Amino acid sequence: MISRRRLLSAAAASPLLAGGFRAVAAEPVPPPGAARPPLKDLAAAKGILYGSCAAAPQLLSPDDFTELLVRECALVVPENEMKWADMMGPGESSDYRLGDKMIDFVTGHGMLFRAHTMLWYWRTPGWFTEIADRGLAEKKMLERVNDMGTRYKGRVYSWDVVNEPLKPDDGRPDALRQSVFLEKVGPQYLDLAYRAARAADPHAKLVVNEYDIEYDTPEQDTKRLALLKLIERMKKDGTPVDAVGVQAHLSVDRLPFSAKKLRTLLADLAAFGVELQVTELDCTDERAPADIKERDRMVADEYRRFLDVALDETAVKVLVTWGVSDRHSWIVRHETNNMKWRTDAEPSRPLPFDAALQPKPAWTAIVQALDHAPKRGAA
Ligand code: G3I
């Protein structure tokens, strides 16, 4: 294992290091078959919960991937199965079957369940978007929150109540996204939703989950500030928010990074008394060469410079990668965000294990960052 001192002195010697450890070669990965501790154990030793998202078939049709997931993870997030528009039954009803099976599998295997998500503008049923009456929209929105909260009450570690509530570009002084909930219910929708979620499941940690707050661009500066103001305002008004999720969908060579800005964001959020969670870590490689060794090194460096800062903040109690192996990833499946797809025929390599379930340099970067992380009180 490379020591922190060696890493730091290598970093200091490099001219390329404005934001982190970009020029430091990743430690080789363990060879196939070599004994290695599960990530969840390395994380637990520092008071951190490590986990991943999973799609229903990955749990419910068990294979070698399922074994890896269970071995590595202390916590699992349903990738899509609890999004409102993904669980539509006849009419306005919901189909809970996949969500129920997933939470049964996860808790039955002794893992925690991180529920995602009660309200997300992008995955909202068409019938809701057609409601014209404000009072009815509020009633239906709160029914959704109450429905999910009470159905899984006492079984959920944390709930993403509203996913991605901010969009400063929409031009509102409060920087709230001009989402379907804002349009139909009004800007108070956020506070109403968190209060209803608390009433429905008093023990689940209630999370505000956001993206594009990790890099050093003017747009992300604005969004970071908006997030801080939102959490400050919610706390001041007594709206129950227990945690902030930093999604961390990273990309090689796309945007500048400032360790200082990320560190400041996390410390400022922590000062409001919220838990911090890294909720969807992965890294696209569309700007990296096809050569796998070089590509994996670049992805690992991106993981490393983010995690060296994130895990140094002791309010960060949860680390979730958006998948475990390159075998199953929204990026590899080319599902959304086509500007982050590779333009050659090579599959992307965004996660800590490759498609054959072998650890990659990104795995080593996570292990090293956990090794460096200060120990914190358990979540
Ligand atoms: O299930 C259908 C399948 O029946 C159909 O044949 C296929 C054809 O396109 O689509 C399948 O649905 C896809 C679904 O994932 C399940 O694989 C949708 O098209 C696709 O849009 C959807 O993408 C998901 C995306 O959220 C939108 O919901 C990704 O899997 C999921 O990883 C991604 O996760 C989000 C987080 O929830 C929030 N933060 C950003 C993150 C990445 O976009």
Side-chain angles (χ1 to χ4, degrees), residues 37-54:
L39 288 173
K40 67 180 175 196
D41 289 359
L42 299 173
K46 298 299 176 78
I48 297 170
L49 287 164
Y50 170 75
S52 168
C53 75

Side-chain angles (χ1 to χ4, degrees), residues 77 138 205 212 217 281 300:
V77 188
E138 179 179 313
K205 297 187 194 219
D212 276 0
T217 67
L281 177 62

Side-chain angles (χ1 to χ4, degrees), residues 227-254:
L227 178 61
L228 286 165
K229 283 188 178 158
L230 174 67
I231 302 303
E232 181 179 37
R233 208 269 305 144
M234 289 172 82
K235 284 283 183 190
K236 189 165 97 323
D237 291 350
T239 299
V241 53
D242 305 305
V244 173
V246 177
Q247 291 189 6
H249 291 290
L250 308 179
S251 293
V252 163
D253 264 353
R254 181 169 277 283

Side-chain angles (χ1 to χ4, degrees), residues 55-286:
Q58 296 158 22
L59 303 183
L60 307 177
S61 308
D63 61 8
D64 52 347
F65 173 86
T66 318
E67 267 174 45
L68 178 75
L69 190 92
V70 171
R71 178 183 193 273
E72 300 297 328
C73 294
L75 171 146
V76 171
V77 188
E79 185 169 11
N80 291 305
E81 292 78 357
M82 287 193 181
K83 294 171 182 171
W84 199 359
D86 291 87
M87 48 187 294
M88 279 166 62
E92 295 181 7
S93 69
S94 291
D95 182 342
Y96 308 95
R97 282 174 296 181
L98 285 179
D100 287 358
K101 285 183 186 159
M102 289 183 83
I103 197 168
D104 287 349
F105 180 97
V106 169
T107 56
H109 284 76
M111 299 182 282
L112 296 172
F113 195 79
R114 185 179 187 288
H116 173 81
T117 168
M118 287 177 170
L119 302 174
W120 186 21
Y121 70 95
W122 194 17
R123 303 299 299 146
T124 302
W127 63 260
F128 182 87
T129 66
E130 283 156 24
I131 298 176
D133 179 77
R134 179 164 288 228
L136 182 62
E138 179 179 313
K139 179 170 175 279
K140 295 291 179 186
M141 182 193 82
L142 293 177
E143 275 174 14
R144 157 73 182 172
V145 171
N146 182 57
D147 189 34
M148 294 302 277
T150 51
R151 186 174 190 86
Y152 302 112
K153 181 179 174 179
R155 305 180 70 195
V156 166
Y157 172 77
S158 67
W159 256 116
D160 289 339
V161 179
V162 179
N163 194 43
E164 303 169 4
L166 294 171
K167 191 172 178 212
D169 281 356
D170 282 348
R172 293 177 51 89
D174 58 11
L176 288 182
R177 178 185 293 274
Q178 199 72 48
S179 71
V180 61
F181 306 109
L182 189 121
E183 277 164 25
K184 300 286 171 186
V185 181
Q188 72 281 13
Y189 89 88
L190 201 76
D191 301 81
L192 291 171
Y194 280 81
R195 291 195 175 116
R198 174 69 93 228
D201 185 353
H203 299 296
K205 297 187 194 219
L206 306 183
V207 186
V208 170
N209 195 35
E210 261 305 346
Y211 73 107
D212 276 0
I213 48 176
E214 303 83 8
Y215 283 109
D216 184 14
T217 67
E219 295 76 21
Q220 297 203 15
D221 283 345
T222 306
K223 201 164 180 188
R224 277 189 283 272
L225 188 60
L227 178 61
L228 286 165
K229 283 188 178 158
L230 174 67
I231 302 303
E232 181 179 37
R233 208 269 305 144
M234 289 172 82
K235 284 283 183 190
K236 189 165 97 323
D237 291 350
T239 299
V241 53
D242 305 305
V244 173
V246 177
Q247 291 189 6
H249 291 290
L250 308 179
S251 293
V252 163
D253 264 353
R254 181 169 277 283
L255 296 171
F257 174 76
S258 162
K260 185 164 175 245
K261 286 186 181 178
L262 180 62
R263 191 178 292 282
T264 303
L265 170 75
L266 299 177
D268 289 351
L269 286 169
F272 294 128
V274 287
E275 171 176 308
L276 301 178
Q277 305 185 350
V278 174
T279 52
E280 303 183 10
L281 177 62
D282 57 18
C283 180
T284 66
D285 59 9
E286 71 282 2

